[in-house]
Amino acid sequence: HGTTQTMSNAAVIRIKPYHYIHVLDNNTNVTSVEVGPQTFTRMDHQTVTAGPNDMIMIPPRHYCIIQNPVVRDEDGDVVSDKNKQVVLRHGDEEIRFEQEPFPLYPGEKLYGKVAPLQVVAPNTAIRLRAIRDLDDKVAGDEWLFRGPGTYIPRVEVQVVEIVRATIIKPNQALRLRARKEFVDATEVVRQAGEEWIVRDTGAYLPDVNEEIRETVSAYVLTDKKAIQLEADQTFVDVFGVKRKAGEQWLVTFDEAETHIPDVYEKVVGEVRVTTLNSRQYCVVLDYVNEKTGKPVLGGRQLRVGERSFFLKPGERLENGIQAVHVLDSEEALLLRAREAYNDEDESRLPGDRWMIYGPCDYVPPVQVEIVEKRRSIPLDENEGIYVRDIKTGQVRDVTGESYMLSPYEELWEKDLPEVVEELLGKDGRYQGLGQRGGRVGTRDRTRVVTYRTPHNSAIQIYDYKQKQARVVFGPELVMLGPEEQFTVLSLSGDVPKRPHQIKALALLLGPDFMTDVVVVETSDHARLSLKLSYNWHFDVDHENLESSESIFNVPDFVGDSCKAIASRVRGAVAAHSFDEFHKHSARLIREAVFGLTAEGKVKNRFHFPSNNLVITNIDIQSVEPVDQRTRDALQKSVQLAIEITTKSQEAAARHEAERREQEARGRLERQKIADEAEAERAKTELLRLQAQSAAVESTGQASAEARARAESSKIEGEAAVEQADLAAQAEKIRAEAELAQIKAKQETEIGHQRSLNELEISRARDLADIEAIKFKSIVDAIGADTLQSIAQAGPEMQARLLQGLGLKSFLITDGNSPINLFNTAN
């Protein structure tokens, strides 16, 4: 700015070649251009407003944009108005290309810089838009300038963007959409919004009216993979087939190795090939008719291997791929006709059932349904199954043979009451389990129920169809018929007896025993609790049917027999007093239960004719009074009897003792005399031994005392030495502890002082850093130039002051201090 101002004030301005200046005539207010080389002498009424500036130089293949360009006539000369001022096109622009260097006239401006012309490479284009009407274009039109080539810019045209070609690789295509109605490169009229596919391999440069939606990759088809397509609207596909909206179809390897979906095709998914080997088949539902190409809804088609095929849209497999049914000699297939058809030479009606027996392999036609696969059931003599005829409903059992069910037979499940199931499970005697080695308790209900009757027991089986029962004695294996059930025994148990405590299938025939507690009352109202045990057995003839069935006449023989016996015992006890019953309890109870013969003897059995139960013996295990006072009185009487017996035994013992005492006294007198003589001899020996003992004692005592004093002195000396050692060790430990304490205290103080010193040093260092940063921040904020100006302000002001006063230097003094002017001058 200072240089321009200096040049504008200069009277002579030397303009170099290819430079120019703008000169303002203050009289006419017209600015003219002066071009070098020349020496321009400025008049007083002229002012240089710009320059000298370099002329605009445009190299080859470059251009520049001039804003507010001058108006030129047909010869290319600049047009001036009547005041000699160049005429400008204000607000307009002009693009200038390669030419001689030229100056900018007053008002013209260079927009941007001189730039090279844009080179459009191959497979690219420039998208242009007309911002003014020109030639055959109107404002808003867009078109492409395709490369290779050099684009010559125009002010009427705006560059929108650079468009690059999209490379279409093999097995790829471009999905395009029309921006507006136009005719594409293949001379096809496209409507606005229309989409289509370009499949040509290579570079594709989309038209200005085309928009690339996406790159579509082809689906690679193999002999094991196909694609299923669906039409969005009616159109003709690439194979020339007219497809209707919503129609689905397959494209397989036989039609094309690769397939690019059209814009109106939607890929539903990939379909894998279905392969059947020689031992497989399948049933296709809703199959497509090969001739008409239409699906047969509800239709079923059998396809047997070896073959491979693709399931067409709408087709599906029934139960997937199935293996051919291979039957051995013990297997068969139960078949049922779905619809009427001819099976070889036999006509089948819907619902007919028949069987195919092995050995063979079988593929069922679509008219036949396989109900189940059956196998011959091998049965031992002790095994069986329940078979039901589905036509008549009759159920029978089959045992002891290998049996194959007929077409109208099925296995029948026999249900047992829950209590029977539990009893069989507890006994662990399930027979005919469905799986060998299966856990106990899982009964195959189709197998005949078998039960091993224990030894010396009997079970009753009732046939509800024939309404009769049969009794089986053990050991025996029982097999239930279809209508037979076990008779469950519900017996009394526990002590005293309570009903329905024992559930059993087998009735044990004995001999055995049972125990019960009976409460009785004597004639003097003493209540007693009797614990009785009965031996029993059933007197039954196995060959006699009436006798065999009689043992099950009483449902609870235990409770019934115990109640009958208790009743007899209570009646017999009530007729006697407590003392009498206490003395003869066993006889009274046995007489009450068994009764007496004509001779007055007690019978040995008690027979129940209703079920042939026989009681053979009664054991009285305990008799206890129920009343506490009676129990106390009984205890006192027992104690009194014991006391009387004890006193009588004591008197007899006393008499025998006195007799023996007299005999002993005589022997004692004789022995006394002999003992006195022996005592005199012993006294003499004693005195002799006492003398010897006194001598030994005096000698031993002296030596023992001397040895004890020596040992005591030794122990005291050793104790004093050990005590001195311990005192020295204690003093040493105390001194070491005090020294360690003092040392630790000093180390702690030194460490504390060192930490304080480090903290102080760190604090001083941080303060110094803060001051340095503060000073640097102040210096940076003021600036080096400002500091320099501050430092030079004083001397420069003094120098200017002296220049203003016309003084070289000066000296100020108060007059009191002497000054050596000679030294000052030097």
Side-chain angles (χ1 to χ4, degrees):
H1 179 72
T3 305
T4 303
Q5 186 176 4
T6 303
M7 293 297 294
S8 63
N9 296 329
V12 177
I13 299 174
R14 292 178 176 82
I15 304 173
K16 298 178 181 180
Y18 302 112
H19 285 69
Y20 67 95
I21 62 173
H22 289 174
V23 180
L24 172 63
D25 189 337
N26 293 322
N27 293 333
T28 61
N29 282 332
V30 174
T31 303
S32 60
V33 177
E34 298 294 336
V35 181
Q38 66 168 312
T39 301
F40 176 73
T41 303
R42 182 180 64 84
M43 303 296 180
D44 291 340
H45 63 278
Q46 292 179 334
T47 302
V48 177
T49 58
N53 294 330
D54 294 337
M55 290 185 180
I56 305 300
M57 296 183 181
I58 303 178
R61 300 187 60 79
H62 284 66
Y63 74 100
C64 68
I65 300 176
I66 304 299
Q67 294 180 337
N68 304 323
V70 297
V71 178
R72 299 180 182 271
D73 55 15
E74 296 177 355
D75 298 331
D77 297 329
V78 178
V79 178
S80 301
D81 58 8
K82 60 182 180 178
N83 296 321
K84 303 300 183 179
Q85 178 70 46
V86 294
V87 179
L88 303 177
R89 291 182 291 164
H90 293 283
D92 200 356
E93 292 180 347
E94 183 182 70
I95 298 178
R96 299 179 183 176
F97 301 97
E98 176 187 359
Q99 56 181 289
E100 292 295 326
F102 61 91
L104 290 179
Y105 288 91
E108 289 185 333
K109 293 181 181 179
L110 177 64
Y111 178 75
K113 298 180 180 179
V114 176
L117 293 174
Q118 188 171 0
V119 177
V120 182
N123 294 332
T124 58
I126 299 177
R127 185 177 177 183
L128 305 176
R129 180 184 298 150
I131 57 178
R132 304 180 191 175
D133 295 343
L134 77 159
D135 300 337
D136 57 342
K137 303 288 193 300
V138 296
D141 283 351
E142 293 183 354
W143 67 95
L144 293 181
F145 179 82
R146 302 175 184 271
T150 301
Y151 172 65
I152 306 300
R154 300 181 61 175
V155 295
E156 298 87 355
V157 179
Q158 177 186 5
V159 177
V160 179
E161 63 178 350
I162 297 176
V163 180
R164 289 178 174 81
T166 301
I167 305 301
I168 303 177
K169 300 178 181 179
N171 295 332
Q172 284 187 344
L174 289 181
R175 185 172 182 175
L176 305 178
R177 181 169 63 183
R179 300 177 185 269
K180 65 177 183 178
E181 182 181 355
F182 78 106
V183 179
D184 64 4
T186 58
E187 303 300 328
V188 178
V189 178
R190 303 293 183 182
Q191 302 296 326
E194 181 182 354
E195 295 185 0
W196 66 97
I197 295 291
V198 175
R199 293 182 170 84
D200 298 333
T201 304
Y204 181 79
L205 193 62
D207 193 81
V208 69
N209 296 316
E210 295 175 350
E211 175 186 357
I212 298 178
R213 291 294 307 280
E214 61 179 343
T215 300
V216 182
S217 297
Y219 286 86
V220 179
L221 306 178
T222 63
D223 54 352
K224 296 183 179 180
K225 182 176 70 173
I227 59 172
Q228 182 176 341
L229 305 176
E230 181 180 358
D232 291 336
Q233 67 181 46
T234 303
F235 76 106
V236 178
D237 62 8
V238 293
F239 304 108
V241 180
K242 184 177 181 180
R243 304 293 183 181
K244 295 183 179 181
E247 180 182 354
Q248 293 186 356
W249 68 97
L250 287 183
V251 178
T252 62
F253 181 75
D254 297 335
E255 297 172 338
E257 295 182 358
T258 60
H259 181 72
I260 299 175
D262 202 272
V263 292
Y264 303 119
E265 294 176 351
K266 180 175 69 175
V267 178
V268 178
E270 294 183 354
V271 179
R272 292 289 176 178
V273 68
T274 302
T275 303
L276 303 176
N277 59 28
S278 59
R279 310 304 298 167
Q280 291 178 335
Y281 74 96
C282 66
V283 176
V284 180
L285 302 179
D286 302 334
Y287 66 93
V288 176
N289 193 312
E290 296 293 341
K291 296 181 179 179
T292 62
K294 302 296 182 181
V296 181
L297 299 180
R300 303 171 75 250
Q301 186 182 58
L302 176 66
R303 299 180 183 178
V304 184
E306 300 174 353
R307 65 181 298 183
S308 297
F309 60 91
F310 292 99
L311 287 177
K312 296 182 179 179
E315 293 183 341
R316 52 194 174 90
L317 295 181
E318 182 183 43
N319 300 328
I321 298 176
Q322 305 178 55
V324 174
H325 297 275
V326 179
L327 306 178
D328 61 20
S329 60
E330 298 297 326
E331 291 180 332
L333 289 177
L334 176 60
L335 307 178
R336 181 169 57 199
R338 297 176 182 267
E339 55 187 82
Y341 88 107
N342 292 325
D343 180 13
E344 296 178 354
D345 297 333
E346 188 173 356
S347 177
R348 304 288 185 184
L349 297 178
D352 280 355
R353 296 162 67 104
W354 71 99
M355 295 182 69
I356 296 293
Y357 297 92
C360 67
D361 55 4
Y362 181 73
V363 177
V366 294
Q367 298 89 353
V368 176
E369 173 189 4
I370 297 178
V371 179
E372 63 179 356
K373 185 177 183 179
R374 289 181 175 178
R375 186 173 184 85
S376 179
I377 303 174
L379 300 174
D380 194 8
E381 293 181 357
N382 297 331
E383 295 179 329
I385 56 174
Y386 297 110
V387 179
R388 178 175 178 267
D389 192 322
I390 62 176
K391 285 186 175 181
T392 63
Q394 183 180 0
V395 180
R396 62 188 180 93
D397 55 344
V398 178
T399 59
E401 62 175 310
S402 181
Y403 187 75
M404 172 70 76
L405 296 175
S406 67
Y408 290 96
E409 287 182 344
E410 65 180 4
L411 293 176
W412 180 75
E413 293 186 355
K414 180 177 180 61
D415 293 327
L416 296 177
E418 184 177 355
V419 62
V420 176
E421 295 280 7
E422 292 179 359
L423 292 175
L424 292 176
K426 290 179 182 178
D427 291 344
R429 296 191 178 97
Y430 276 159
Q431 300 297 320
L433 292 178
Q435 300 83 13
R436 292 192 176 183
R439 66 181 183 89
V440 175
T442 56
R443 181 176 68 88
D444 186 354
R445 297 178 182 271
T446 62
R447 292 297 181 106
V448 171
V449 179
T450 60
Y451 180 75
R452 290 187 177 91
T453 307
H455 176 72
N456 196 27
S457 64
I459 63 171
Q460 186 181 42
I461 300 171
Y462 187 80
D463 190 332
Y464 285 89
K465 185 176 181 180
Q466 299 180 2
K467 296 184 179 180
Q468 64 180 10
R470 61 187 176 100
V471 178
V472 179
F473 293 94
E476 184 64 45
L477 180 68
V478 178
M479 302 179 70
L480 288 186
E483 304 297 335
E484 290 181 336
Q485 291 289 348
F486 290 108
T487 298
V488 180
L489 302 176
S490 180
L491 306 178
S492 298
D494 207 349
V495 179
K497 288 293 182 283
R498 293 186 298 163
H500 308 298
Q501 295 298 307
I502 299 174
K503 303 290 185 181
L505 296 178
L507 177 63
L508 299 180
L509 301 180
D512 203 346
F513 70 93
M514 53 187 172
T515 305
D516 192 13
V517 175
V518 181
V519 178
V520 299
E521 186 174 356
T522 62
S523 61
D524 52 358
H525 304 292
R527 301 191 66 199
L528 302 175
S529 175
L530 307 180
K531 187 175 182 181
L532 306 178
S533 180
Y534 319 122
N535 289 358
W536 60 269
H537 70 274
F538 283 98
D539 187 8
V540 59
D541 184 5
H542 294 186
E543 303 297 332
N544 188 345
L545 178 61
E546 183 179 356
S547 176
S548 301
E549 292 179 350
S550 65
I551 62 178
F552 290 95
N553 289 342
V554 180
D556 184 4
F557 78 92
V558 176
D560 183 71
S561 60
C562 286
K563 288 178 182 178
I565 295 173
S567 176
R568 291 194 174 196
V569 170
R570 280 193 291 267
V573 174
H576 298 82
S577 64
F578 172 72
D579 291 337
E580 186 179 357
F581 174 73
H582 189 264
K583 294 177 182 179
H584 309 288
S585 57
R587 181 177 59 80
L588 293 176
I589 291 175
R590 291 180 63 85
E591 289 179 356
V593 175
F594 295 123
L596 299 175
T597 63
E599 293 81 10
K601 295 183 180 180
V602 180
K603 297 180 180 179
N604 59 359
R605 57 185 289 164
F606 176 30
H607 181 260
F608 291 86
S610 59
N611 60 350
N612 290 330
L613 176 66
V614 178
I615 305 297
T616 59
N617 190 20
I618 297 179
D619 180 20
I620 305 173
Q621 295 183 349
S622 66
V623 178
E624 294 182 359
V626 177
D627 188 17
Q628 183 65 33
R629 290 179 298 177
T630 305
R631 187 182 292 112
D632 295 341
L634 179 63
Q635 187 175 2
K636 287 181 180 180
S637 64
V638 172
Q639 290 178 354
L640 182 60
I642 294 173
E643 186 177 353
I644 293 173
T645 304
T646 303
K647 288 183 179 180
S648 63
Q649 291 177 356
E650 286 179 355
R654 190 181 306 111
H655 177 71
E656 182 67 20
E658 289 176 354
R659 185 182 64 80
R660 292 181 179 181
E661 185 181 359
Q662 293 295 332
E663 294 178 356
R665 188 177 292 115
R667 289 194 299 270
L668 181 61
E669 290 295 334
R670 291 194 299 271
Q671 186 67 30
K672 186 177 180 181
I673 295 171
D675 291 342
E676 287 179 354
E678 185 67 27
E680 289 297 330
R681 287 193 296 271
K683 185 182 294 184
T684 303
E685 184 68 21
L686 176 63
L687 292 175
R688 186 178 63 80
L689 294 175
Q690 286 179 350
Q692 293 178 358
S693 176
V696 173
E697 183 179 358
S698 60
T699 305
Q701 183 177 2
S703 62
E705 289 178 354
R707 190 179 296 108
R709 283 194 297 270
E711 189 69 22
S712 174
S713 299
K714 179 180 179 182
I715 292 172
E716 289 178 354
E718 290 176 353
V721 172
E722 186 175 359
Q723 183 177 5
D725 292 340
L726 293 175
Q729 292 178 4
E731 187 65 26
K732 179 180 178 182
I733 293 171
R734 188 183 301 108
E736 290 176 353
E738 291 178 355
L739 179 60
Q741 182 178 5
I742 295 172
K743 182 178 180 182
K745 182 178 180 181
Q746 291 176 353
E747 290 177 353
T748 303
E749 291 177 352
I750 292 171
H752 178 65
Q753 187 63 35
R754 184 184 295 109
S755 300
L756 291 177
N757 294 338
E758 290 176 355
L759 289 175
E760 187 66 26
I761 293 170
S762 176
R763 178 174 173 273
R765 186 184 296 110
D766 292 341
L767 289 176
D769 293 339
I770 291 171
E771 288 296 327
I773 294 172
K774 177 181 177 183
F775 181 77
K776 184 176 183 300
S777 300
I778 293 173
V779 171
D780 294 339
I782 296 173
D785 297 335
T786 305
L787 292 176
Q788 182 179 1
S789 301
I790 293 172
Q792 295 176 355
E796 288 180 356
M797 184 175 294
Q798 292 176 3
R800 291 179 181 176
L801 182 60
L802 292 176
Q803 289 178 0
L805 297 176
L807 299 176
K808 296 296 184 178
S809 63
F810 66 94
L811 180 65
I812 300 174
T813 180
D814 56 359
N816 295 324
S817 299
I819 299 173
N820 189 351
L821 296 178
F822 294 100
N823 292 334
T824 300
N826 293 330

